[in-house]
PDB file of all heavy atoms in Angstrom:
ATOM      1  N   ILE A  84     139.476 193.927 110.821  1.00 98.00           N
ATOM      2  CA  ILE A  84     140.580 194.867 110.944  1.00 98.00           C
ATOM      3  C   ILE A  84     140.219 195.961 111.953  1.00 98.00           C
ATOM      4  O   ILE A  84     139.064 196.392 112.040  1.00 98.00           O
ATOM      5  CB  ILE A  84     140.953 195.486 109.575  1.00 98.00           C
ATOM      6  CG1 ILE A  84     142.276 196.236 109.678  1.00 98.00           C
ATOM      7  CG2 ILE A  84     139.832 196.379 109.039  1.00 98.00           C
ATOM      8  CD1 ILE A  84     142.888 196.566 108.330  1.00 98.00           C
ATOM      9  N   GLY A  85     141.199 196.369 112.729  1.00 98.00           N
ATOM     10  CA  GLY A  85     140.950 197.397 113.733  1.00 98.00           C
ATOM     11  C   GLY A  85     142.252 197.999 114.212  1.00 98.00           C
ATOM     12  O   GLY A  85     143.278 197.964 113.517  1.00 98.00           O
ATOM     13  N   ILE A  86     142.217 198.540 115.412  1.00 97.00           N
ATOM     14  CA  ILE A  86     143.384 199.209 115.976  1.00 97.00           C
ATOM     15  C   ILE A  86     143.320 199.074 117.498  1.00 97.00           C
ATOM     16  O   ILE A  86     142.242 198.887 118.070  1.00 97.00           O
ATOM     17  CB  ILE A  86     143.409 200.696 115.568  1.00 97.00           C
ATOM     18  CG1 ILE A  86     144.763 201.335 115.880  1.00 97.00           C
ATOM     19  CG2 ILE A  86     142.260 201.468 116.203  1.00 97.00           C
ATOM     20  CD1 ILE A  86     144.961 202.673 115.189  1.00 97.00           C
ATOM     21  N   SER A  87     144.462 199.131 118.154  1.00 96.00           N
ATOM     22  CA  SER A  87     144.525 199.017 119.612  1.00 96.00           C
ATOM     23  C   SER A  87     144.994 200.330 120.218  1.00 96.00           C
ATOM     24  O   SER A  87     146.026 200.871 119.817  1.00 96.00           O
ATOM     25  CB  SER A  87     145.475 197.885 120.024  1.00 96.00           C
ATOM     26  OG  SER A  87     144.977 196.636 119.581  1.00 96.00           O
ATOM     27  N   LEU A  88     144.236 200.820 121.195  1.00 96.00           N
ATOM     28  CA  LEU A  88     144.527 202.098 121.837  1.00 96.00           C
ATOM     29  C   LEU A  88     144.926 201.885 123.291  1.00 96.00           C
ATOM     30  O   LEU A  88     144.294 201.096 124.003  1.00 96.00           O
ATOM     31  CB  LEU A  88     143.297 203.010 121.781  1.00 96.00           C
ATOM     32  CG  LEU A  88     142.674 203.251 120.406  1.00 96.00           C
ATOM     33  CD1 LEU A  88     141.416 204.106 120.558  1.00 96.00           C
ATOM     34  CD2 LEU A  88     143.657 203.920 119.467  1.00 96.00           C
ATOM     35  N   PRO A  89     145.963 202.586 123.767  1.00 94.00           N
ATOM     36  CA  PRO A  89     146.327 202.501 125.187  1.00 94.00           C
ATOM     37  C   PRO A  89     145.518 203.520 125.981  1.00 94.00           C
ATOM     38  O   PRO A  89     145.582 204.721 125.727  1.00 94.00           O
ATOM     39  CB  PRO A  89     147.815 202.867 125.184  1.00 94.00           C
ATOM     40  CG  PRO A  89     147.941 203.827 124.028  1.00 94.00           C
ATOM     41  CD  PRO A  89     146.901 203.432 123.015  1.00 94.00           C
ATOM     42  N   ILE A  90     144.748 203.049 126.958  1.00 94.00           N
ATOM     43  CA  ILE A  90     143.879 203.959 127.694  1.00 94.00           C
ATOM     44  C   ILE A  90     144.036 203.717 129.198  1.00 94.00           C
ATOM     45  O   ILE A  90     143.889 202.600 129.679  1.00 94.00           O
ATOM     46  CB  ILE A  90     142.410 203.790 127.292  1.00 94.00           C
ATOM     47  CG1 ILE A  90     142.250 204.030 125.782  1.00 94.00           C
ATOM     48  CG2 ILE A  90     141.520 204.749 128.073  1.00 94.00           C
ATOM     49  CD1 ILE A  90     140.865 203.757 125.258  1.00 94.00           C
ATOM     50  N   GLN A  91     144.355 204.763 129.899  1.00 93.00           N
ATOM     51  CA  GLN A  91     144.461 204.717 131.354  1.00 93.00           C
ATOM     52  C   GLN A  91     143.161 205.286 131.925  1.00 93.00           C
ATOM     53  O   GLN A  91     142.822 206.438 131.670  1.00 93.00           O
ATOM     54  CB  GLN A  91     145.665 205.556 131.800  1.00 93.00           C
ATOM     55  CG  GLN A  91     145.992 205.483 133.265  1.00 93.00           C
ATOM     56  CD  GLN A  91     147.203 206.336 133.601  1.00 93.00           C
ATOM     57  OE1 GLN A  91     147.157 207.570 133.540  1.00 93.00           O
ATOM     58  NE2 GLN A  91     148.309 205.698 133.950  1.00 93.00           N
ATOM     59  N   TRP A  92     142.412 204.464 132.655  1.00 96.00           N
ATOM     60  CA  TRP A  92     141.141 204.954 133.177  1.00 96.00           C
ATOM     61  C   TRP A  92     141.362 206.138 134.096  1.00 96.00           C
ATOM     62  O   TRP A  92     142.304 206.176 134.876  1.00 96.00           O
ATOM     63  CB  TRP A  92     140.394 203.843 133.914  1.00 96.00           C
ATOM     64  CG  TRP A  92     139.073 204.296 134.428  1.00 96.00           C
ATOM     65  CD1 TRP A  92     138.660 204.327 135.723  1.00 96.00           C
ATOM     66  CD2 TRP A  92     137.992 204.832 133.656  1.00 96.00           C
ATOM     67  NE1 TRP A  92     137.391 204.841 135.816  1.00 96.00           N
ATOM     68  CE2 TRP A  92     136.955 205.167 134.564  1.00 96.00           C
ATOM     69  CE3 TRP A  92     137.793 205.072 132.298  1.00 96.00           C
ATOM     70  CZ2 TRP A  92     135.741 205.714 134.141  1.00 96.00           C
ATOM     71  CZ3 TRP A  92     136.590 205.624 131.881  1.00 96.00           C
ATOM     72  CH2 TRP A  92     135.579 205.933 132.796  1.00 96.00           C
ATOM     73  N   SER A  93     140.488 207.127 134.000  1.00 96.00           N
ATOM     74  CA  SER A  93     140.656 208.396 134.708  1.00 96.00           C
ATOM     75  C   SER A  93     139.511 208.626 135.681  1.00 96.00           C
ATOM     76  O   SER A  93     138.342 208.414 135.339  1.00 96.00           O
ATOM     77  CB  SER A  93     140.708 209.553 133.704  1.00 96.00           C
ATOM     78  OG  SER A  93     141.700 209.322 132.725  1.00 96.00           O
ATOM     79  N   MET A  94     139.867 209.092 136.876  1.00 97.00           N
ATOM     80  CA  MET A  94     138.889 209.412 137.906  1.00 97.00           C
ATOM     81  C   MET A  94     139.286 210.732 138.561  1.00 97.00           C
ATOM     82  O   MET A  94     140.458 211.090 138.576  1.00 97.00           O
ATOM     83  CB  MET A  94     138.847 208.293 138.958  1.00 97.00           C
ATOM     84  CG  MET A  94     138.483 206.933 138.400  1.00 97.00           C
ATOM     85  SD  MET A  94     138.710 205.609 139.614  1.00 97.00           S
ATOM     86  CE  MET A  94     140.505 205.561 139.723  1.00 97.00           C
ATOM     87  N   PRO A  95     138.319 211.469 139.114  1.00 97.00           N
ATOM     88  CA  PRO A  95     138.657 212.758 139.741  1.00 97.00           C
ATOM     89  C   PRO A  95     139.381 212.569 141.070  1.00 97.00           C
ATOM     90  O   PRO A  95     138.998 211.715 141.881  1.00 97.00           O
ATOM     91  CB  PRO A  95     137.295 213.428 139.945  1.00 97.00           C
ATOM     92  CG  PRO A  95     136.338 212.281 140.044  1.00 97.00           C
ATOM     93  CD  PRO A  95     136.870 211.221 139.125  1.00 97.00           C
ATOM     94  N   TYR A  96     140.401 213.358 141.286  1.00 97.00           N
ATOM     95  CA  TYR A  96     141.111 213.344 142.564  1.00 97.00           C
ATOM     96  C   TYR A  96     140.163 213.718 143.694  1.00 97.00           C
ATOM     97  O   TYR A  96     140.144 213.100 144.745  1.00 97.00           O
ATOM     98  CB  TYR A  96     142.290 214.316 142.487  1.00 97.00           C
ATOM     99  CG  TYR A  96     143.071 214.456 143.772  1.00 97.00           C
ATOM    100  CD1 TYR A  96     143.891 213.422 144.228  1.00 97.00           C
ATOM    101  CD2 TYR A  96     143.002 215.625 144.522  1.00 97.00           C
ATOM    102  CE1 TYR A  96     144.611 213.549 145.413  1.00 97.00           C
ATOM    103  CE2 TYR A  96     143.722 215.764 145.697  1.00 97.00           C
ATOM    104  CZ  TYR A  96     144.520 214.723 146.137  1.00 97.00           C
ATOM    105  OH  TYR A  96     145.226 214.850 147.302  1.00 97.00           O
ATOM    106  N   ASP A  97     139.349 214.744 143.446  1.00 97.00           N
ATOM    107  CA  ASP A  97     138.305 215.136 144.382  1.00 97.00           C
ATOM    108  C   ASP A  97     136.992 215.162 143.604  1.00 97.00           C
ATOM    109  O   ASP A  97     136.766 216.056 142.787  1.00 97.00           O
ATOM    110  CB  ASP A  97     138.596 216.520 144.966  1.00 97.00           C
ATOM    111  CG  ASP A  97     137.554 216.949 146.005  1.00 97.00           C
ATOM    112  OD1 ASP A  97     136.510 216.276 146.112  1.00 97.00           O
ATOM    113  OD2 ASP A  97     137.796 217.950 146.701  1.00 97.00           O
ATOM    114  N   PRO A  98     136.116 214.182 143.812  1.00 96.00           N
ATOM    115  CA  PRO A  98     134.875 214.107 143.027  1.00 96.00           C
ATOM    116  C   PRO A  98     133.939 215.288 143.251  1.00 96.00           C
ATOM    117  O   PRO A  98     132.995 215.478 142.477  1.00 96.00           O
ATOM    118  CB  PRO A  98     134.240 212.793 143.506  1.00 96.00           C
ATOM    119  CG  PRO A  98     134.841 212.531 144.842  1.00 96.00           C
ATOM    120  CD  PRO A  98     136.236 213.084 144.780  1.00 96.00           C
ATOM    121  N   ASN A  99     134.201 216.079 144.270  1.00 97.00           N
ATOM    122  CA  ASN A  99     133.366 217.250 144.538  1.00 97.00           C
ATOM    123  C   ASN A  99     133.957 218.545 143.987  1.00 97.00           C
ATOM    124  O   ASN A  99     133.378 219.619 144.174  1.00 97.00           O
ATOM    125  CB  ASN A  99     133.146 217.389 146.049  1.00 97.00           C
ATOM    126  CG  ASN A  99     132.375 216.211 146.632  1.00 97.00           C
ATOM    127  OD1 ASN A  99     131.343 215.813 146.099  1.00 97.00           O
ATOM    128  ND2 ASN A  99     132.879 215.636 147.713  1.00 97.00           N
ATOM    129  N   ASP A 100     135.113 218.425 143.332  1.00 95.00           N
ATOM    130  CA  ASP A 100     135.777 219.597 142.764  1.00 95.00           C
ATOM    131  C   ASP A 100     135.532 219.621 141.254  1.00 95.00           C
ATOM    132  O   ASP A 100     135.998 218.734 140.539  1.00 95.00           O
ATOM    133  CB  ASP A 100     137.281 219.537 143.049  1.00 95.00           C
ATOM    134  CG  ASP A 100     138.001 220.813 142.668  1.00 95.00           C
ATOM    135  OD1 ASP A 100     137.498 221.538 141.780  1.00 95.00           O
ATOM    136  OD2 ASP A 100     139.073 221.089 143.238  1.00 95.00           O
ATOM    137  N   PRO A 101     134.798 220.605 140.741  1.00 94.00           N
ATOM    138  CA  PRO A 101     134.494 220.649 139.310  1.00 94.00           C
ATOM    139  C   PRO A 101     135.740 220.749 138.425  1.00 94.00           C
ATOM    140  O   PRO A 101     135.713 220.295 137.286  1.00 94.00           O
ATOM    141  CB  PRO A 101     133.601 221.888 139.161  1.00 94.00           C
ATOM    142  CG  PRO A 101     133.844 222.700 140.395  1.00 94.00           C
ATOM    143  CD  PRO A 101     134.177 221.726 141.469  1.00 94.00           C
ATOM    144  N   THR A 102     136.823 221.323 138.965  1.00 93.00           N
ATOM    145  CA  THR A 102     138.035 221.406 138.144  1.00 93.00           C
ATOM    146  C   THR A 102     138.671 220.026 137.960  1.00 93.00           C
ATOM    147  O   THR A 102     139.263 219.747 136.922  1.00 93.00           O
ATOM    148  CB  THR A 102     139.057 222.375 138.765  1.00 93.00           C
ATOM    149  OG1 THR A 102     139.500 221.877 140.026  1.00 93.00           O
ATOM    150  CG2 THR A 102     138.460 223.754 138.926  1.00 93.00           C
ATOM    151  N   ASP A 103     138.540 219.167 138.968  1.00 95.00           N
ATOM    152  CA  ASP A 103     139.057 217.808 138.829  1.00 95.00           C
ATOM    153  C   ASP A 103     138.185 216.990 137.883  1.00 95.00           C
ATOM    154  O   ASP A 103     138.682 216.125 137.142  1.00 95.00           O
ATOM    155  CB  ASP A 103     139.146 217.127 140.188  1.00 95.00           C
ATOM    156  CG  ASP A 103     140.267 217.706 141.058  1.00 95.00           C
ATOM    157  OD1 ASP A 103     141.021 218.559 140.543  1.00 95.00           O
ATOM    158  OD2 ASP A 103     140.374 217.318 142.225  1.00 95.00           O
ATOM    159  N   LEU A 104     136.894 217.240 137.884  1.00 95.00           N
ATOM    160  CA  LEU A 104     135.998 216.596 136.923  1.00 95.00           C
ATOM    161  C   LEU A 104     136.352 217.039 135.502  1.00 95.00           C
ATOM    162  O   LEU A 104     136.319 216.236 134.565  1.00 95.00           O
ATOM    163  CB  LEU A 104     134.540 216.939 137.236  1.00 95.00           C
ATOM    164  CG  LEU A 104     133.996 216.396 138.558  1.00 95.00           C
ATOM    165  CD1 LEU A 104     132.599 216.942 138.819  1.00 95.00           C
ATOM    166  CD2 LEU A 104     133.977 214.872 138.552  1.00 95.00           C
TER     167      LEU A 104
END
Side-chain angles (χ1 to χ4, degrees):
I84 192 165
I86 193 165
S87 296
L88 306 177
I90 302 174
Q91 186 180 68
W92 182 241
S93 306
M94 301 171 290
Y96 177 72
D97 183 349
N99 296 312
D100 188 335
T102 64
D103 289 355
L104 294 173

